[in-house]
Amino acid sequence: MSPFDLFPLGQPAFVHNTIDRAAHLRFHDDRLIALERSPSAHAYVVHRDSILLKRDGEAMRALLSVDEALGLGANPGTIFLGLRDGAALFGMGISQGAAEALSGRDDVAITELRGLAMQGGIPPDQLAGIAMAKSMVSWHQRHGFCANCGTRTAMREGGWKRECPNCKTEHFPRTDPVVISLVAHGDRCLLGRQQRFPSGMYSCLAGFVEAAETIEDAVCREVFEESGIRCTDVTYYMTQPWPYPSSLMIGCRAKALNEDIVVDRTELEDARWFSREEARLMLTRQHPDGLTGPHPFAIAHHLVGEWLKAG
């Protein structure tokens, strides 16, 4: 199955969520304990940017029973993600030592999530749950102490809150908003590349929304800062959860008011205008110069694809 089949236009990774978050259950520890002990309970075990897989015959699966996860060394603190078809689903982390202890085994693997998902190694309808697990585990690992008084905090409400036993401050998971924009000027679109991108790859310009800033202002500011292009008529397209570590990509379209590009070399290696035909060849990996667009895994691919479709 090709990446275009895995992530058809308008359906990037992490957006197809089949989980009922069942938030009302987070406040009932006894019910959560019973759900975790149920034979139907399953978990995703994440380690940094990777996921723990278990072999099933010739295939590898990310969805483990809670007992399997604990038996492989996952941390006992579970995060209640919700219900899928009535069965409880949890997110779990695993320590560096426990992850290293699994190295060399034939029946398990800890594999980098992004590459695995891009190759179809995980069904797209499981990626949203994995994104939840990855984001939440990462948040707990980075926020173990109270930002108010420095005391070690405790997990509460099925993992969706941490509470300080000393000053009683409550800490909640955060999601960082990021604008990503398809900027057009007539029949051309603006794409840039960062040094860390694969060779020849260009993508939409993106950046974090700052405090007290609208999405529209963030689009105009980021595009101007990175490319010297001023924008107008910013419109919303769609969002994509992005668990690196926990962002929400806000896809937008905008029109350019000028054409002269001035690249901020601290942010981008290059930025340029591409015709519709060039952009089409880049998305389909047929550009004569070997240039490519973003993978269908990412919302940027869909922003470019929708612009081409509209033209």
Side-chain angles (χ1 to χ4, degrees):
M1 184 177 291
S2 77
F4 302 97
D5 297 320
L6 290 168
F7 307 107
L9 199 59
Q11 297 180 45
F14 308 124
V15 302
H16 184 195
N17 196 349
T18 59
I19 298 172
D20 172 7
R21 293 178 182 243
H24 62 285
L25 295 175
R26 299 173 187 172
F27 307 96
H28 303 281
D29 290 345
D30 55 339
R31 295 181 67 180
L32 290 179
I33 291 171
L35 285 170
E36 185 177 336
R37 291 175 177 172
S38 169
S40 64
H42 286 82
Y44 294 117
V45 180
V46 295
H47 178 61
R48 297 179 181 171
D49 288 340
S50 298
I51 186 161
L52 177 61
L53 304 173
K54 193 170 191 306
R55 184 171 298 283
D56 249 352
E58 295 299 316
M60 301 290 284
R61 58 180 167 87
L63 195 60
L64 313 180
S65 72
V66 173
D67 286 343
E68 284 177 327
L70 293 172
L72 292 169
N75 298 329
T78 58
I79 300 161
F80 177 63
L81 304 180
L83 305 174
R84 180 186 284 152
D85 297 327
L89 187 61
F90 296 89
M92 303 174 74
I94 187 169
S95 69
Q96 180 67 28
E100 290 175 352
L102 299 176
S103 178
R105 288 179 51 167
D106 294 331
D107 61 329
V108 294
I110 296 180
T111 304
E112 193 269 329
L113 173 61
R114 189 183 318 205
L116 185 69
M118 289 170 70
Q119 297 165 16
I122 297 176
D125 62 358
Q126 290 192 36
L127 291 176
I130 294 172
M132 291 171 64
K134 184 180 181 307
S135 293
M136 293 297 293
V137 167
S138 177
W139 177 73
H140 282 287
Q141 291 173 341
R142 291 180 291 114
H143 293 82
F145 295 87
C146 180
N148 187 51
C149 71
T151 302
R152 181 76 184 182
T153 56
M155 185 186 292
R156 295 285 185 268
E157 295 181 10
W160 290 87
K161 181 175 83 172
R162 295 191 72 89
E163 187 175 80
C164 178
N166 180 48
C167 68
K168 308 305 179 186
T169 299
E170 297 176 323
H171 303 273
F172 296 92
R174 58 177 289 173
T175 296
D176 300 315
V178 178
V179 290
I180 181 164
S181 315
L182 190 286
V183 179
H185 190 277
D187 283 333
R188 297 185 299 168
C189 68
L190 176 68
L191 301 176
R193 62 168 281 104
Q194 298 179 9
Q195 191 172 12
R196 63 180 177 83
F197 284 3
S199 177
M201 176 186 159
Y202 283 75
S203 188
C204 299
L205 305 191
F208 287 99
V209 180
E210 294 186 346
E213 185 175 44
T214 67
I215 291 171
E216 293 84 355
D217 284 349
V219 168
C220 295
R221 176 184 55 78
E222 281 290 344
V223 171
F224 179 71
E225 287 176 355
E226 294 185 358
S227 68
I229 299 298
R230 296 193 179 278
C231 295
T232 187
D233 296 345
V234 177
T235 57
Y236 167 79
Y237 169 54
M238 69 175 295
T239 56
Q240 179 190 26
W242 193 251
Y244 297 97
S246 187
S247 296
L248 181 66
M249 307 299 291
I250 305 169
C252 296
R253 308 180 186 95
K255 294 180 180 179
L257 292 173
N258 61 303
E259 299 180 66
D260 299 331
I261 296 173
V262 181
V263 178
D264 179 358
R265 299 294 177 181
T266 63
E267 294 285 341
L268 298 177
E269 184 178 271
D270 188 30
R272 51 173 285 199
W273 295 105
F274 291 91
S275 68
R276 288 186 184 275
E277 181 58 21
E278 275 193 292
R280 184 175 291 107
L281 292 171
M282 289 164 70
L283 287 194
T284 57
R285 306 299 194 265
Q286 296 176 328
H287 194 282
D289 297 330
L291 302 181
T292 62
H295 191 279
F297 177 85
I299 191 174
H301 173 96
H302 301 263
L303 279 163
V304 178
E306 288 287 357
W307 175 72
L308 291 172
K309 181 181 176 181

